DNA sequence: GATGCGCTTTAAATGC
DNA sequence: GCATTTAAAGCGCATC
């Protein structure tokens, strides 16, 4: 390869600098995501030490999630009807 | 039970207010986490539209991840050996 | 439905015999798997009684595993690049 | 370290050869275990292509597992009573 | 354009 | 309580 190629060059047809930036952005976001996962685990553990049953707590959260989903689906359906009826 | 039970009371032996707060905290953190997942997806899609091969990009990220894992495992192993040899 | 339904018949729209065979095959495989888990545990315990530190042993195994993972990831990445560059 | 140390020597107080053998045995067993996991996945996939619902199939297998467990617990209990009554 | 499929990731359960 | 293992979800992909 050329001796002056650096990260801002095209290497093997790849815009190296741009690639680097994408990788960095993604890894940074994944780190934040991981941190949040740990925070969540932390909260569960805190709840547990306050006497709550973590397993049940998880079930509750899960339940609320699907209920929220169902609510959204209903809203979307309503929206669909509205569009069909020219009510938008 | 108290006749004026509300969310700050104990209901069926459960501290309702505390429970509510835990649920809220967890759901808020999960929302943030989900937002990050969408951001990541967004970045991949952006990279794709710039001409990068998403599959390769994912592999690179994955590879860097296992490299990081290996580094950590090695450190932990060294640490473990140190402890086993009384070098701590 | 047929009045003489038995295990080789369709019951409630289900091919009972085929189902039975799948269940049997899976349970047999799971039994073998469980036996292997016990063997592994056994080996660790044996190593321990010979004076090895099980925690360290596990770390070594784990480390070798991620090294193998990394090797595979690298190969797959190279392969992917080849395909992307039409070298296949 | 001594210049003639090899795998059959003691390195840092570790019986290197013995260690090597334990690692090998464990990794071999884990490979077999992994192969079985793949076989199981294979059977599920085969069942699916025959028209069965994999999720339900898993539930069934799981259900049979706990029933088997309960049966065993009962037998153990019976055995315990027998011993208590000198019926062994 | 929709559907199904496999794969990756994430959540849950189990065992030490 | 932690770490492993297993079940489920979500996602992109390919196909029709």
């Amino acid at each position: 390869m050329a001796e002056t190629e650096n990260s801002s060059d095209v290497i093997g047809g790849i815009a190296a600098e741009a690639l680097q930036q994408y990788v960095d952005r993604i890894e940074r976001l994944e780190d934040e995501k991981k941190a949040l996962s740990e925070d969540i685990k932390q909260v569960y553990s805190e709840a547990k030490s306050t006497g709550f049953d973590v397993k049940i707590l998880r079930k509750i959260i899960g339940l609320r999630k699907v209920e929220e989903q169902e609510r959204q689906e209903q809203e979307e359906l309503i929206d669909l009807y509205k569009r069909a009826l020219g009510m938008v």
Side-chain angles (χ1 to χ4, degrees), chain A:
Chain A
M1 290 184 195
E3 54 215 81
T4 56
E5 262 185 0
N6 63 34
S7 69
S8 51
D9 285 343
V10 168
I11 299 176
I14 303 285
E17 194 177 6
L19 176 60
Q20 183 68 49
Q21 284 177 1
Y22 282 125
V23 169
D24 288 348
R25 281 172 68 190
I26 290 166
E27 285 184 346
R28 184 158 189 285
L29 290 167
E30 285 189 345
D31 284 349
E32 293 177 30
K33 199 159 152 243
K34 195 179 173 188
L36 282 172
S37 293
E38 280 155 15
D39 287 350
I40 291 169
K41 214 186 310 181
Q42 178 73 21
V43 177
Y44 275 115
S45 140
E46 193 180 318
K48 179 175 189 174
S49 72
T50 320
F52 290 103
D53 181 320
V54 172
K55 202 168 166 180
I56 304 296
L57 195 44
R58 282 187 190 277
K59 290 259 185 237
I60 296 286
I61 304 271
L63 201 56
R64 287 167 57 100
K65 209 178 288 176
V66 316
E67 279 167 0
E68 170 66 11
Q69 261 179 44
E70 282 167 2
R71 199 189 52 72
Q72 276 185 28
E73 281 171 9
Q74 278 189 356
E75 283 186 0
E76 282 165 18
L77 197 58
I78 290 167
D79 212 60
L80 199 61
Y81 277 120
K82 281 186 181 170
R83 288 173 193 280
L85 299 171
M87 297 170 64
V88 175

